[in-house]
């Protein structure tokens, strides 16, 4: 390069040249050889937080290819440490188009996970960056208020296995509360309720060491109107991706038992009944009708039918054979002679002191024989000895 521009009164620049070294080697020369991408600034470590949306865009200078240029002109993909595809239901996913890591880790996910970020150029040559995703081991917090939202579509299985839908949901909720990002939304859990999906979260703008009733009621107004029905903003922000049918605001932590009554424990397969004391926002009129009114009507109809059938059977019972008619009763009364059966007669014994009858051939009995008396001396002597 030649130039007549003067650098000060005594220095005149006429020409200069340069030469890159290492990763900055010059690529101005034309070569038919294709080089593999170069890893310049490895990612190495990504930090995530339980319950919060992770969104990390790969820096533009992570890889460099002599022919194609920076990372934005290269194809990036995420694989496990074993060079296998990341499962679709894994909490962490990678957006190839935007070169972004995203996902919401819930309590129970692994603290450390290893992956490989694969970089491929137009000619198919590749390089990789081994990285670790770390989640601090923290316990689930106890906020001053929890928020629930229930929607019919998408279904629970589809939503729970899709990191993309979870990300979209959190972004819509943040937009509903007019937050500039999703940093204030912390997802506590995802569960199935009567075939629908319920997502529970809390807002980090609420302090945990005290109960800010005014702030809780202010956030509650975002979700529902004065008649405790979903506000138009909820339907407008969540549709068409989420068909929301109800929501809850549940005081807990420092606010539990403060300005509301304590809510009974929730069960996975049961929606809490309508109760103004716990700020219930879910309309259960149809559910109450199908759960209580219809079964009660069916049971009452069955009882009436059973009673009617019993009455009909009682009236058709043949009672003539079991009762004695008036004619027969009159005939028993008109007979004057009593009937005595043989078993009712008393047995009369004939007297036994009668004189025996002597037949003609019989002779009278002989008189008893006479015996001679012995001399009285022996008897007298014997009696004298005994005395």
């Amino acid at each position: 390069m030649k130039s007549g521009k003067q650098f000060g009164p005594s220095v005149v620049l006429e020409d200069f040249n340069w030469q890159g070294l290492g990763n900055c080697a010059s690529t101005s020369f034309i070569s038919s050889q294709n080089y593999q991408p170069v890893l310049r600034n490895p990612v190495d470590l990504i930090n995530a937080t339980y319950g919060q949306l992770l969104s990390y865009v790969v820096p533009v200078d992570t890889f460099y290819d002599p022919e194609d240029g920076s990372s934005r002109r290269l194809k990036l993909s995420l694989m496990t440490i074993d060079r296998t595809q990341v499962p679709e239901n894994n909490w962490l996913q990678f957006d190839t188009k935007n070169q972004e890591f995203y996902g919401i880790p819930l309590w129970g996910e692994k603290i450390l996970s290893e992956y490989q970020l694969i970089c491929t150029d137009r000619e198919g040559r590749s390089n990789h960056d081994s990285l670790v995703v770390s989640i601090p081991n923290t316990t689930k917090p106890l906020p001053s208020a929890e928020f629930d939202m229930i929607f019919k579509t998408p279904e629970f299985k589809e939503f729970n296995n899709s990191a993309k839908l979870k990300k979209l949901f959190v972004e819509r909720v943040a937009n509903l509360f007019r937050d500039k990002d999703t940093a204030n939304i912390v997802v506590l859990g995802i569960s199935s309720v009567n075939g629908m999906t319920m997502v529970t979260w809390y807002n980090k703008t609420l302090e945990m060491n005290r109960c800010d009733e005014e702030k809780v009621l202010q956030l509650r107004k975002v979700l529902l109107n004065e008649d405790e029905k979903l506000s138009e903003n909820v339907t407008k922000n969540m549709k068409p991706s989420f068909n929301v049918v109800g929501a809850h605001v549940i005081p807990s932590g420092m606010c539990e038992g403060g300005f509301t009554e304590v809510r009974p424990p929730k069960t996975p397969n049961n929606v809490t009944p309508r109760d103004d004391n716990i700020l219930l926002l879910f309309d259960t009129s149809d559910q109450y009708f199908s759960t209580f009114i219809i079964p009660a009507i069916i049971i009452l109809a069955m009882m009436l039918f059973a009673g009617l059938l019993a009455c009909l059977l009682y009236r058709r019972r043949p009672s003539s054979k079991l009762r004695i008619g008036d004619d027969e009763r009159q005939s028993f009364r008109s007979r004057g002679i009593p009937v005595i059966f043989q078993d009712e007669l008393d047995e009369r014994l004939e007297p036994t002191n009668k004189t025996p009858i002597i037949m003609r051939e019989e002779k009278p009995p002989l008189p008893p024989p006479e015996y001679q008396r012995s001399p009285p001396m022996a008897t007298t002597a014997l009696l004298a000895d005994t005395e």
Side-chain angles (χ1 to χ4, degrees), residues 142-202:
L142 185 61
S144 57
E146 296 180 4
F147 299 82
D148 290 346
M149 189 173 289
I150 302 173
F151 47 88
K152 290 184 178 180
T153 55
E155 296 181 354
F156 170 74
K157 185 176 181 180
E158 179 185 0
F159 180 83
N160 194 42
N161 294 332
S162 175
K164 185 176 182 180
L165 288 176
K166 296 175 185 176
K167 176 187 176 185
L168 180 61
F169 177 84
V170 172
E171 290 175 344
R172 295 286 179 87
V173 171
N175 184 51
L176 178 65
F177 287 93
R178 297 185 178 181
D179 294 336
K180 61 180 181 179
D181 52 34
T182 62
N184 292 328
I185 308 300
V186 180
V187 179
L188 296 175
I190 302 171
S191 58
S192 176
V193 179
N194 294 337
M196 297 177 288
T197 306
M198 181 172 70
V199 181
T200 306
W201 77 91
Y202 80 91

Side-chain angles (χ1 to χ4, degrees), residues 89-162:
N89 60 351
N90 189 56
W91 74 266
L92 180 65
Q93 297 293 327
F94 185 77
D95 185 355
T96 304
K97 181 178 180 181
N98 297 321
Q99 297 184 349
E100 176 188 16
F101 294 88
Y102 67 91
I104 303 176
L106 298 179
W107 281 265
E109 299 289 350
K110 294 174 59 176
I111 299 176
L112 294 176
S113 301
E114 295 181 298
Y115 299 92
Q116 283 192 354
L117 182 63
I118 310 299
C119 173
T120 307
D121 63 9
R122 288 184 298 177
E123 300 295 331
R125 301 205 64 177
S126 63
N127 201 346
H128 71 276
D129 176 20
S130 297
L131 56 95
V132 175
V133 178
S134 175
I135 309 173
N137 188 13
T138 58
T139 58
K140 185 178 292 188
L142 185 61
S144 57
E146 296 180 4
F147 299 82
D148 290 346
M149 189 173 289
I150 302 173
F151 47 88
K152 290 184 178 180
T153 55
E155 296 181 354
F156 170 74
K157 185 176 181 180
E158 179 185 0
F159 180 83
N160 194 42
N161 294 332
S162 175

Side-chain angles (χ1 to χ4, degrees), residues 207-224:
E207 299 182 21
M208 293 190 182
N209 55 0
R210 72 182 187 94
C211 180
D212 190 350
E213 299 181 12
E214 183 179 355
K215 184 66 174 180
V216 173
L217 294 177
Q218 181 182 353
L219 295 176
R220 176 178 177 268
K221 292 180 181 180
V222 178
L223 296 176
L224 75 160

Side-chain angles (χ1 to χ4, degrees), residues 1 14 20 32 119 131 163 238 245 275 279 309 312:
M1 178 180 180
E14 293 191 6
S32 60
C119 173
L131 56 95
M238 304 306 292
V245 296
D275 189 352
L279 305 178
L309 183 62
L312 292 176

Side-chain angles (χ1 to χ4, degrees), residues 376-387:
M377 293 180 62
T379 306
T380 303
L382 182 61
L383 294 173
D385 294 336
T386 58
E387 293 178 0

